[in-house]
Amino acid sequence: MRRDALIVGGGPAGCAAAITLARAGCHPTLIERSNGPTDKVCGDFLSVDSIQHARFLGVDPIELGAVPISRVRLIHRDRVAESELPFMAVGLSRRVLDEALLDQARHAGAIVHTGKEVRRLTRDGSKSIVVLADGNALSAGTVFLATGKHDIRAHARAWSGPRAVGLKMYFDPRNELARILEGATELTLFPGGYAGMQSVEGGRVVLCIAVHQKAFKQYGGTWALLTRAIGQFSPRFAEILSGSRPLLPNPLAIAGVPYGYRSPPLSLFCLGDQAAVIPSLTGDGMAIALHSGLSAARAWIAHQDAPAYQRTLGQALAPQMRLAGWLHRAGVNPGFQPAVVPLMRFFPSLTRLAAARTRLPGRLSLLPDPTRPSGISSPHWGQ
Ligand SMILES: Cc1cc2nc3c(=O)[nH]c(=O)nc-3n(C[C@H](O)[C@H](O)[C@H](O)COP(=O)(O)OP(=O)(O)OC[C@H]3O[C@@H](n4cnc5c(N)ncnc54)[C@H](O)[C@@H]3O)c2cc1C
């Protein structure tokens, strides 16, 4: 039987799978609903794992103008604590990163359809059928589900825990804000959530907020009311935003984020946020997305089935997901928040440890990849 692969979703996970499959000589088809470069709800923080994976896939964030980040700052009310990150990181907008990954997928030989939305997935014997919003259908032997934060009906991720809302805006910073954020990512804690701020390419600043749905409603349910409430809680937040010009006509928003979700073994290859949703404060979601896309493609090439891939991925991610879940619960809990900044001040090594332990598992060793030109290494996660 001809082994054909269809990838639904062209974010980091879908592109990583498409590039890996295409490089191996398969001819995957990728379907992406947005048509052209798009802003997406995400803090735009690329951890070392994301950078390594993106480079391995042929996309260098630094060449795309990414801004280096070496420090993390935690803020609660008027208290600030700062620590060096134990790894390199950068800020790069998803508009730029995702488009570069899609281009790379095309370049590697994948057939990429943009502006097409998948509405339904069904099966017909040994084939999967993908039904598009325009009524057309495509069939394939294997489907890789990489729709990220968006569920396809009948394949919605089951999650009984609390769900969060994600919101995002870019700013043209006044000089003071640009200076404050130079080389740093800032996380402001407020009851029910946290707000991340950092620089990205083009001299812009991104503000991305994660807040529990219930808390968001209590704050009034709008961007304006939420940011005003955060500003009242943390004067620094209000001060650094005042005078900065919003650059999008409206904030971007996504609801129903199931922080902590991990997919059970399914007959589909679930990638990225469809496989696992790590709390945003770790800034490692894109690394997991890229890693899962790469490993699902490699598993498929090696004739492994989807449940086996899913089990291996789930086991590998379990420790970092557990710690991230714990940090997230502490980070949004008004009872615990006052202790966070003093803890970080007195035990800066704890912050570095937490940051290191919420990365992809194992020791990152850079092994020469025989399929790539010399000088480019393959991300490999060993013991
Ligand atoms: C508030 C917030 C802040 C975050 N900040 C960070 C951060 O700073 N750093 C970090 O590493 N991670 C962060 N994350 C996590 C990160 O955004 C995700 O883990 C990552 O985007 C997952 O990649 P993905 O490819 O699985 O999905 P996505 O990035 O969501 O991409 C999915 C793609 O599929 C497409 N698609 C969706 N539905 C369909 C359909 N029906 N048909 C066709 N195409 C479809 C979409 O258009 C999209 O391009 C954050 C998440 C949130 C919620």
Side-chain angles (χ1 to χ4, degrees):
M1 187 181 78
R2 190 167 156 249
R3 298 184 79 223
D4 47 357
L6 201 149
I7 300 152
V8 185
C15 287
I19 295 166
T20 309
L21 292 170
R23 278 181 179 171
C26 316
H27 298 281
T29 299
L30 183 150
I31 301 172
E32 164 57 42
R33 73 177 181 180
S34 54
N35 200 0
T38 314
D39 289 313
K40 294 179 179 166
V41 177
C42 183
D44 298 349
F45 175 91
L46 286 173
S47 68
V48 63
D49 307 332
S50 304
I51 300 168
Q52 300 273 21
H53 278 79
R55 281 187 176 153
F56 174 69
L57 295 166
V59 170
D60 188 341
I62 302 288
E63 281 175 12
L64 295 171
V67 177
I69 295 170
S70 59
R71 284 166 291 128
V72 57
R73 232 173 262 142
L74 269 183
I75 294 135
H76 180 254
R77 293 194 179 274
D78 52 0
R79 289 175 160 173
V80 183
E82 184 177 301
S83 170
E84 291 290 322
L85 282 169
F87 48 76
M88 74 176 288
V90 294
L92 181 70
S93 72
R94 293 292 301 275
R95 169 181 281 266
V96 169
L97 177 71
D98 288 21
E99 201 54 22
L101 286 166
L102 271 177
D103 277 348
Q104 190 59 23
R106 287 186 192 99
H107 179 74
I111 300 154
V112 175
H113 296 291
T114 54
K116 303 242 175 261
E117 182 176 347
V118 171
R119 281 279 165 83
R120 224 155 26 89
L121 302 174
T122 57
R123 278 201 78 81
D124 181 8
S126 62
K127 287 275 180 192
S128 291
I129 312 288
V130 164
V131 183
L132 303 179
D134 61 14
N136 286 322
L138 297 167
S139 75
T142 305
V143 168
F144 292 80
L145 186 63
T147 54
K149 302 175 183 77
H150 311 273
D151 288 333
I152 289 186
R153 215 164 7 141
H155 291 276
R157 293 161 294 176
W159 179 243
S160 56
R163 291 191 182 246
V165 176
L167 301 117
K168 174 177 185 169
M169 175 56 82
Y170 286 105
F171 289 92
D172 180 8
R174 54 189 176 91
N175 291 342
E176 179 66 359
L177 174 56
R179 197 187 51 74
I180 291 171
L181 290 179
E182 205 176 307
T185 182
E186 284 204 4
L187 205 61
T188 302
L189 307 178
F190 61 91
Y194 37 81
M197 230 190 282
Q198 65 188 35
S199 298
V200 294
E201 80 284 354
R204 296 174 304 156
V205 160
V206 57
L207 166 61
C208 192
I209 304 174
V211 53
H212 277 189
Q213 246 161 228
K214 208 169 141 199
F216 183 54
K217 275 195 194 129
Q218 284 163 355
Y219 284 118
T222 67
W223 169 263
L225 291 172
L226 176 64
T227 48
R228 193 192 308 155
I230 303 172
Q232 281 163 357
F233 189 76
S234 166
R236 179 191 168 92
F237 180 86
E239 198 186 315
I240 58 180
L241 275 196
S242 71
S244 295
R245 188 168 55 90
L247 292 173
L248 302 176
N250 293 300
L252 307 174
I254 179 101
V257 181
Y259 283 135
Y261 172 82
R262 271 190 283 157
S263 165
L266 300 172
S267 57
L268 284 172
F269 281 85
C270 295
L271 319 181
D273 279 5
Q274 289 292 317
V277 184
I278 193 162
S280 306
L281 86 172
T282 63
D284 216 40
M286 282 188 272
I288 292 178
L290 291 164
H291 177 68
S292 65
L294 205 138
S295 39
R298 285 180 172 174
W300 185 76
I301 291 164
H303 295 270
Q304 217 180 64
D305 63 17
Y309 145 77
Q310 211 79 46
R311 268 192 298 273
T312 309
L313 182 74
Q315 281 162 9
L317 298 181
Q320 92 177 112
M321 291 289 291
R322 259 196 306 274
L323 178 59
W326 189 87
L327 292 172
H328 172 82
R329 285 190 293 279
V332 301
N333 185 332
F336 195 82
Q337 281 176 342
V340 173
V341 170
L343 263 178
M344 185 172 166
R345 271 202 201 144
F346 293 118
F347 305 103
S349 55
L350 268 185
T351 316
R352 286 194 289 275
L353 192 68
R357 290 281 166 86
T358 46
R359 298 311 102 188
L360 283 167
R363 178 172 50 81
L364 171 64
S365 52
L366 293 170
L367 299 179
D369 184 337
T371 65
R372 305 282 298 139
S374 62
I376 299 182
S377 309
S378 165
H380 170 84
W381 309 95
Q383 291 307 304

